[in-house]
Amino acid sequence: MSELLRNNIPPEFLNPSDIFNEAMNAVDIHWWYWDVLNQQLIISPKLSEILGYHGSDFTVPVTALNKQIHTDDREEHTKVFDKFIFGEIEIYEFEYRLKVNDQWAWYYNRGTVFSRDKQGNPILTGGIAMDISHRYGHMLSKAEDWGKFEFIFRNSNESILIVSMGKDREPGKIIEVNDAAAKLYGTKPEALIGLDPYVLVEKSIVDSRYQMKKDLYDKGNMKVEVNTNDYHGNKIYLEVHAHLFRGTGKDLFIAIVTDKTESQQYKKELKASELALKQSEKIYRSLIQAADDRIGLFDTDGNAVILNNAYTEMLGYTLEEYRVLEDKDRIHPEDIDRMKSLVPELVKSGYMAIEYRARHRDGHYMHMNSKSVLVKNPDLDKDYVLFIIRDVSDKVAFEKELIAAKEKAVESDKLKSAFLANMSHEIRTPMNSIVGFANLLTEKDIDATSQAEYVKRINRNSEQLLALMSDIIDLAKIESNQLSVSYTKLILENLFNELLTYGRLQLEQRGRKNVVIKYLPDPVKRTEAMEGDLVRLTQILQNLINNAVKFTIQGEITIGYMNMNDKSIRFFVKDTGIGIDQKNIEIIFDQFRQVDGSNVRKYGGTGLGLAICRNLTGLLNGKIWVESEKDSGSTFYLELPLKSGFELNENRDAASREFAVSSKIKVLMVDDDQDSLMLMTTILRYEGIQTVTADSGYKALKILEREELPDIVLMDLQMPVMSGIQTLHIIREQYPALKVVAQSAHALEGERRKSLGLGFNDYISKPYSKQGLLEVIKRVVEG
């Protein structure tokens, strides 16, 4: 044994008395120490004996001990212990199986660091090992068979007699004895087999057989000390432990006999052992008090014998405060009856595990995982229950978060599935009209009136489809934080005149002949102008108007505003439509959510409009809400600050100006989509502009080689073989002054900035209007 171990291990650990061992065995707790520097492990004498090691210093070869750990537990145990030694965890704690007498026994190990070097590295660790096989008793008993039992019986150094059960639960005959028992009595095994066990003890023991039988069946075991003679007439003093045994399927009891003939010496050592036991108890109490878990020892009447500091402090109480609490003050009312119902299981199996809620002093409840062990010993005045309780509140909270996240993910998946199905319907419906009426235009003998009506319907459905695409793009921009705000002065009268025109158009398109739209400005204080983002504000209010038109069959829609204490302006859209049930008020602003999401719903839509309104409102530092009742109409409110403090942009009306482009310019259009080429060619030729087309980057370069250079090139970014960006790189090398505009169906914020960074002179996104195309050409050519 190393000097470090010898100096730190209490002497009573190294030279334990029988009473000390018996006390420790009563609770199945054994100590161990590990000298990290010298790689030495020393364990308690009883544990050393259990594991089959002998020697006065109780030093155990670690490699041999590792082999006794079950192969399924060995690797994980090594990982946990290494983490403990290297400081990754403060407390070493593990449950594993050990090979004991050719059987597997479950042990619970817990340890801590007792001393460290100057660098903080552990040099001496130690802790306790506890036999917890009773927790797995049912499982282990199923695995036993008579052959295994007989092997242990035959090879044990303990004197063992197996006695059959007679009538009225009286002991019958001795049916088996091992060699150790025969040697104890000074005879051969066959001389004892068939005897009445009472012939081997004095008369006083026979007279008290009723009480012994009662103890055996009530407790499952009993102990008695007897004076008798061996077969050679020598007086011997024996201690007999009898246990009920049904592990082999037979009704038996087993007597384990220990020779206590040297009892005088035993009595002399008793006093010293008691002193050692008291010192040992101090050490164990110190270990228990230092534990982070709540540890308590109670007698079966419910009286606390030992409570560590954590037992009460974890719940915010002092020891005195906790002792006077009743169960209803300690435990959640819903858990009390459940805990009481498991007490019979504790009495029957000797073990109980449960999770329950304990009340903290401040009133909140903490989730606890409790493991209870019944401590039974005939030498004790009563039985005891050992509680080891761990706070698992964080674990329970984490599990609830996982469940909530899973439920949210499932709901989100359902919403998105419904959204995709709805989106398919909303896209295919206008596409059906576009394709259908376009085909009708090819019919022969079509009159001018029908032709105009078909074109009108194609345009209307195209606008509807484009609006849907814009909503999707806007949502993508919002979620990626790519929307920007540009403030300017707004004339509210002009804004509401446009909104009224928009609302009437929506009513006409939906055939709402019994609905009128009205404008109601602030009757007290009119606001001629305000600062705001015209595009975003118009988008929000148009969405609200469109929503009102959709759900109002008859009556009126009123739009207007109110000044709020000169600090903000409140816009509103009020309708006399179907209204909203109060239970659905909270969800209507969620994306993908609709009050009626079924495939038989009466009203169309994608469920994006109000979600976009809410996000745009946040972007404008405002707030949006609704007041509504089912069948009584709805009023949507949008409130924005009157003074934004943002820099004004006076050029926001530039988009409304008409652009004239000189017909003398020449434009090269490069796009792999023939329809796009035809559309651009048609638009520009109506303006008298000369055009040249190429359906690939390669063909565009060939045109530039053999013809006079154009004034401007419109280059599609995404083309097969040679992309627009690759084509631009070659153009910049050979024709650096040539002006090239990028065109793409990618409409997210940042595409223009990205294109300019690649060397393009400007950018235009599809779909574009005639006015937008001419504006870009004029800006680039004249700029």
Side-chain angles (χ1 to χ4, degrees), residues 73 97 104 252 321 441 624 750 757 760:
D73 304 329
R97 290 162 284 185
W104 292 109
L252 308 169
E321 290 173 334
L441 287 174
I624 188 171
F760 287 97

Side-chain angles (χ1 to χ4, degrees), residues 239-491:
E239 185 180 82
V240 180
H241 286 265
H243 299 265
L244 286 175
F245 184 75
R246 296 187 176 93
T248 61
K250 302 177 182 179
D251 290 326
L252 308 169
F253 77 86
I254 299 175
I256 301 174
V257 184
T258 305
D259 187 0
K260 295 287 185 178
T261 306
E262 304 295 332
S263 59
Q264 284 303 108
Q265 182 62 30
Y266 172 77
K267 290 177 181 179
K268 289 179 182 179
E269 295 174 353
L270 180 59
K271 188 172 183 179
S273 297
E274 288 175 347
L275 293 175
L277 182 60
K278 289 181 179 179
Q279 183 63 25
S280 170
E281 183 181 351
K282 282 185 179 181
I283 294 172
Y284 277 106
R285 282 181 179 270
S286 298
L287 290 173
I288 291 173
Q289 290 294 349
D292 292 331
D293 292 335
R294 300 172 64 205
I295 299 178
L297 184 66
F298 293 79
D299 63 25
T300 50
D301 295 327
N303 301 310
V305 179
I306 298 174
L307 294 178
N308 70 344
N309 294 332
Y311 203 93
T312 58
E313 290 177 357
M314 187 179 291
L315 299 177
Y317 293 100
T318 64
L319 181 60
E320 292 72 20
E321 290 173 334
Y322 190 80
R323 286 183 182 276
V324 299
L325 294 177
E326 298 181 7
D327 284 347
K328 65 182 180 64
D329 300 318
R330 300 176 181 175
I331 303 169
H332 195 288
E334 296 176 2
D335 296 336
I336 294 176
D337 291 341
R338 182 165 57 91
M339 294 183 71
K340 289 181 178 179
S341 68
L342 293 177
V343 172
E345 177 186 336
L346 175 63
V347 175
K348 181 179 179 181
S349 66
Y351 175 78
M352 180 181 77
I354 187 175
E355 285 196 6
Y356 70 98
R357 289 161 289 181
R359 186 181 183 276
H360 193 275
R361 193 175 190 275
D362 64 14
H364 79 276
Y365 285 93
M366 303 169 65
H367 288 265
M368 298 290 172
N369 181 290
S370 173
K371 298 178 180 179
S372 311
V373 180
L374 183 63
V375 181
K376 301 179 71 172
N377 192 303
D379 292 337
L380 301 175
D381 56 341
K382 58 178 67 176
D383 296 336
Y384 295 87
V385 180
L386 176 66
F387 291 93
I388 301 177
I389 306 172
R390 175 165 296 175
D391 178 10
V392 293
S393 300
D394 290 342
K395 173 190 170 186
V396 172
F398 179 68
E399 289 174 349
K400 287 182 178 179
E401 289 175 1
L402 286 180
I403 293 172
K406 179 183 177 182
E407 291 175 349
K408 186 174 181 180
V410 171
E411 181 186 15
S412 176
D413 184 60
K414 289 180 179 178
L415 289 174
K416 288 185 178 179
S417 296
F419 168 74
L420 290 175
N422 186 28
M423 184 63 70
S424 175
H425 172 270
E426 294 297 322
I427 291 174
R428 287 176 177 272
T429 298
M431 282 299 299
N432 181 63
S433 295
I434 294 169
V435 173
F437 285 114
N439 288 333
L440 288 176
L441 287 174
T442 64
E443 295 289 337
K444 296 179 180 179
D445 302 326
I446 183 171
D447 61 86
T449 303
S450 298
Q451 186 179 46
E453 179 64 21
Y454 296 165
V455 170
K456 178 181 177 181
R457 292 181 182 274
I458 290 173
N459 287 335
R460 187 176 66 200
N461 282 277
S462 297
E463 290 171 0
Q464 182 180 341
L465 188 60
L466 184 58
L468 175 60
M469 295 299 104
S470 296
D471 279 349
I472 296 172
I473 292 171
D474 281 344
L475 185 62
K477 288 180 180 179
I478 290 169
E479 292 188 341
S480 58
N481 295 319
Q482 293 185 349
L483 274 186
S484 59
V485 178
S486 181
Y487 283 80
T488 186
K489 288 183 179 179
L490 307 178
I491 306 300

Side-chain angles (χ1 to χ4, degrees), residues 78-104:
T78 301
K79 290 180 181 178
V80 173
F81 194 76
D82 286 347
K83 286 183 178 180
F84 168 62
I85 291 299
F86 290 113
E88 295 181 32
I89 54 177
E90 295 183 1
I91 298 296
Y92 156 66
E93 188 175 30
F94 201 74
E95 293 182 3
Y96 56 88
R97 290 162 284 185
L98 279 176
K99 192 80 168 185
V100 178
N101 293 331
D102 291 321
Q103 294 191 53
W104 292 109

Side-chain angles (χ1 to χ4, degrees), residues 596-624:
D596 181 6
S598 69
N599 59 5
V600 294
R601 66 192 190 283
K602 185 176 180 181
Y603 305 96
T606 61
L608 295 179
L610 291 180
I612 292 172
C613 288
R614 181 192 61 185
N615 285 283
L616 290 177
T617 301
L619 195 65
L620 299 176
N621 298 318
K623 58 181 179 179
I624 188 171

Side-chain angles (χ1 to χ4, degrees), residues 587-776:
I587 69 169
I588 62 171
F589 289 102
D590 294 342
Q591 64 190 40
F592 310 132
R593 294 296 292 264
Q594 292 177 292
V595 172
D596 181 6
S598 69
N599 59 5
V600 294
R601 66 192 190 283
K602 185 176 180 181
Y603 305 96
T606 61
L608 295 179
L610 291 180
I612 292 172
C613 288
R614 181 192 61 185
N615 285 283
L616 290 177
T617 301
L619 195 65
L620 299 176
N621 298 318
K623 58 181 179 179
I624 188 171
W625 72 97
V626 62
E627 295 177 359
S628 180
E629 291 185 7
K630 188 173 178 60
D631 301 323
S632 298
S634 305
T635 303
F636 284 84
Y637 293 98
L638 168 67
E639 189 165 329
L640 300 176
L642 261 179
K643 295 182 179 180
S644 64
F646 287 85
E647 181 180 354
L648 299 184
N649 178 3
E650 300 293 349
N651 296 317
R652 288 302 299 267
D653 292 332
S656 63
R657 295 198 298 268
E658 293 293 334
F659 288 89
V661 181
S662 172
S663 60
K664 296 180 180 180
I665 67 171
K666 177 182 179 181
V667 179
L668 170 59
M669 296 171 291
V670 187
D671 199 314
D672 62 314
D673 183 64
Q674 294 297 325
D675 291 340
S676 295
L677 286 177
M678 182 178 180
L679 176 62
M680 285 189 292
T681 300
T682 304
I683 290 174
L684 296 181
R685 284 180 179 173
Y686 276 132
E687 298 297 317
I689 297 173
Q690 182 182 358
T691 61
V692 181
T693 62
D695 60 5
S696 69
Y698 174 77
K699 289 182 179 180
L701 293 174
K702 288 296 183 183
I703 291 173
L704 293 176
E705 285 180 4
R706 68 173 182 259
E707 296 184 12
E708 182 181 351
L709 290 181
D711 296 283
I712 186 172
V713 177
L714 299 178
M715 180 75 67
D716 186 44
L717 293 180
Q718 191 168 333
M719 295 185 294
V721 183
M722 181 183 293
S723 70
I725 297 172
Q726 292 171 325
T727 307
L728 175 70
H729 289 163
I730 298 175
I731 290 175
R732 286 289 174 255
E733 290 179 1
Q734 299 181 7
Y735 318 102
L738 185 58
K739 296 179 179 180
V740 184
V741 174
Q743 57 167 327
S744 173
H746 295 289
L748 293 180
E749 187 79 12
E751 290 297 327
R752 173 183 173 81
R753 184 173 59 254
K754 185 191 301 182
S755 298
L756 295 178
L758 291 171
F760 287 97
N761 297 91
D762 211 325
Y763 170 86
I764 185 171
S765 64
K766 300 176 182 178
Y768 44 74
S769 63
K770 169 186 173 182
Q771 182 179 334
L773 179 61
L774 296 177
E775 176 189 348
V776 170

